[in-house]
Amino acid sequence: MSEKSTLVVSKIKHGTVIDHIPAGKAMNILSVLGISGEKGDRIAIIMNVESEKLGKKDIIKIEGKWLEPRDFDVISLIAPSATVNIVENFEVVKKYKVSLPDRVEGLLKCPNMTCITNERNESIKTKFKVLSRDPLKLQCEYCGTIIYKDDIVKLTNYLKK
Amino acid sequence: MSEKSTLVVSKIKHGTVIDHIPAGKAMNILSVLGISGEKGDRIAIIMNVESEKLGKKDIIKIEGKWLEPRDFDVISLIAPSATVNIVENFEVVKKYKVSLPDRVEGLLKCPNMTCITNERNESIKTKFKVLSRDPLKLQCEYCGTIIYKDDIVKLTNYLKK
C-alpha cells in the first residue's frame, strides 16, 4: 500500500458520495445538511486526502441516503467545487456537479435582526443575491445586509432551528 | 464484498485510531478534541458500523496525530468504551482503554456563572467529582452544580475558548 492510498474508504453499496469538497470543509457540509450521525446514518468521511483537481480534498459517503434539491444548493454555498455521485449496487449511476444559483432563497437566515425576514409575524422567505462567487459574497434582497463565506454555516444552521 | 464490509476505512500508516466509540458520537469526540480537519489533518471517520461489542460503533483514524493525556480524559467523558490504538508502519504498536477518572480537573467549565471558577480575577481550575458513570453525572466541587452527559460537549468546548 503506498502512502497516498492510506485513509481510503471502500465503496458504498447504495447511497450518496459527495466528492471534491475543499479540504477541511467536510464537517461544515455535514453541519449544513443537518447530518451528525446521531440518527444512525452510516457515514464515512475522509478529510485532507490528495486530489488531482484540488490538491487536497474531503469526501463524504453516506449509505442509504439520497439528497434533496435544497441540499444541492446548500452544498454549493460551502463547496462550489463538489460533485455528488449516486451509488447503486456499488456503481455510480448518476453524477452531479453542484452549482451555486444566482439567488439563494430560503436557505440562509439574514443576520440583521431588524430585517423583515426576521419578523415573527411575517413568514417571508429570505432571498440573497450572489454578488461574488469567489470569494463568496451575498446580499439580502430585503435589507441589503452583506454576508460572506465564513458566515454561511452559522446562518444556515440557525434557519433550521 | 458483503454489505457489512462497506464503509470500511483502510489502515493508516502512522497515527492514532480511536475505536469503540458509541455510535453517533464521533463528531462529539472530534469537537472536544478541537479537531475539525481545517488545519490539514488527514482524518477518516466512520459512523454507525457494526461492532461485536457495542452493536454499532464509530471509529476515528487520524494520520500523523498522537494524543496527549488530557485528550484521553476528555474522550472518556463522551466515550467511556473507547480504545485508542497507536499505529506505526501500519501496525498497532500500543493499545489503550480510556478510563473515566474519579475527578475531572480542568476539562469542563462550570455552567454556574457565579461559581468561583468563573471569576475572571481568580485562576481556579475546575474540579468535578464523578457521582455516576452510567448515566454520567458530575458535581462541581466548588459550588455543587450538577452536570449531565448531554452538557459535556458544550462545557468542554467553552473552556477552550
Side-chain angles (χ1 to χ4, degrees):
Chain A
M1 188 188 290
S2 74
E3 192 161 352
K4 279 201 174 177
S5 69
T6 59
L7 287 187
V8 171
V9 179
S10 61
K11 286 184 176 179
I12 57 172
K13 188 172 181 182
H14 300 290
T16 300
V17 177
I18 310 171
D19 199 354
H20 301 108
I21 301 167
K25 295 297 175 198
M27 300 290 187
N28 286 348
I29 296 285
L30 289 169
S31 174
V32 298
L33 292 176
I35 297 171
S36 69
E38 294 197 333
K39 290 179 193 151
D41 291 318
R42 296 181 66 198
I43 305 167
I45 304 146
I46 49 173
M47 304 182 72
N48 299 298
V49 289
E50 280 71 16
S51 157
E52 279 182 26
K53 271 192 206 172
L54 302 172
K56 282 189 168 189
K57 67 173 180 179
D58 291 0
I59 307 169
I60 299 169
K61 303 189 179 198
I62 316 170
E63 186 82 50
K65 169 98 181 173
W66 285 267
L67 301 178
E68 293 170 21
R70 179 194 180 283
D71 297 328
F72 283 78
D73 287 345
V74 90
I75 292 170
S76 75
L77 288 166
I78 308 277
S81 56
T83 53
V84 177
N85 299 338
I86 310 301
V87 176
E88 283 175 19
N89 271 319
F90 299 113
E91 299 295 331
V92 174
V93 293
K94 277 183 196 164
K95 201 163 187 149
Y96 302 97
K97 174 100 191 61
V98 304
S99 136
L100 184 65
D102 295 327
R103 273 189 170 62
V104 177
E105 293 191 17
L107 291 185
L108 296 163
K109 182 181 173 68
C110 182
N112 171 14
M113 291 310 290
T114 64
C115 177
I116 186 136
T117 59
N118 286 316
E119 184 60 52
R120 281 200 183 187
N121 299 325
E122 308 278 348
S123 60
I124 298 174
K125 200 159 75 167
T126 63
K127 282 186 197 171
F128 288 87
K129 191 179 172 186
V130 177
L131 297 183
S132 157
R133 287 164 182 267
D134 190 16
L136 187 62
K137 190 175 167 186
L138 306 167
Q139 183 168 37
C140 174
E141 296 202 0
Y142 293 99
C143 71
T145 297
I146 305 275
I147 61 173
Y148 300 91
K149 199 177 175 179
D150 291 345
D151 305 320
I152 299 295
V153 175
K154 199 175 61 194
L155 297 173
T156 310
N157 286 336
Y158 202 3
L159 202 65
K160 279 186 298 202
K161 283 171 192 166
Chain B
M1 189 189 291
S2 75
E3 193 159 351
K4 278 198 176 179
S5 71
T6 59
L7 286 188
V8 171
V9 180
S10 61
K11 287 184 175 179
I12 57 172
K13 188 171 180 185
H14 300 289
T16 302
V17 177
I18 310 171
D19 199 353
H20 301 107
I21 300 167
K25 296 296 174 199
M27 300 289 187
N28 286 350
I29 295 285
L30 289 170
S31 174
V32 296
L33 292 178
I35 297 171
S36 69
E38 293 196 334
K39 291 179 194 153
D41 292 319
R42 296 181 64 197
I43 305 167
I45 305 147
I46 50 176
M47 303 183 73
N48 299 296
V49 289
E50 280 71 16
S51 157
E52 281 184 23
K53 273 194 203 169
L54 302 171
K56 281 189 170 188
K57 67 173 180 179
D58 291 1
I59 307 170
I60 298 169
K61 303 189 179 197
I62 315 171
E63 185 82 51
K65 169 101 181 170
W66 286 267
L67 300 178
E68 292 169 22
R70 179 194 181 282
D71 298 328
F72 283 79
D73 287 346
V74 89
I75 292 170
S76 76
L77 288 165
I78 309 278
S81 56
T83 54
V84 178
N85 299 338
I86 309 302
V87 176
E88 284 175 17
N89 270 319
F90 299 113
E91 298 296 331
V92 174
V93 293
K94 279 184 195 162
K95 204 164 185 146
Y96 302 96
K97 175 101 190 61
V98 303
S99 139
L100 184 64
D102 295 328
R103 274 190 169 63
V104 176
E105 293 192 17
L107 291 184
L108 297 162
K109 185 181 170 69
C110 182
N112 170 15
M113 291 311 289
T114 64
C115 178
I116 186 137
T117 59
N118 286 316
E119 184 61 52
R120 280 201 182 188
N121 300 325
E122 308 276 349
S123 60
I124 298 173
K125 202 159 74 168
T126 62
K127 283 186 197 173
F128 288 87
K129 191 179 173 183
V130 177
L131 297 183
S132 157
R133 286 164 183 268
D134 190 16
L136 187 63
K137 191 175 167 187
L138 305 168
Q139 183 169 35
C140 174
E141 296 203 359
Y142 293 98
C143 71
T145 297
I146 304 275
I147 61 173
Y148 299 91
K149 199 178 173 176
D150 290 344
D151 305 321
I152 298 294
V153 175
K154 200 175 58 192
L155 297 175
T156 310
N157 285 336
Y158 201 5
L159 201 65
K160 276 186 300 201
K161 283 171 193 167

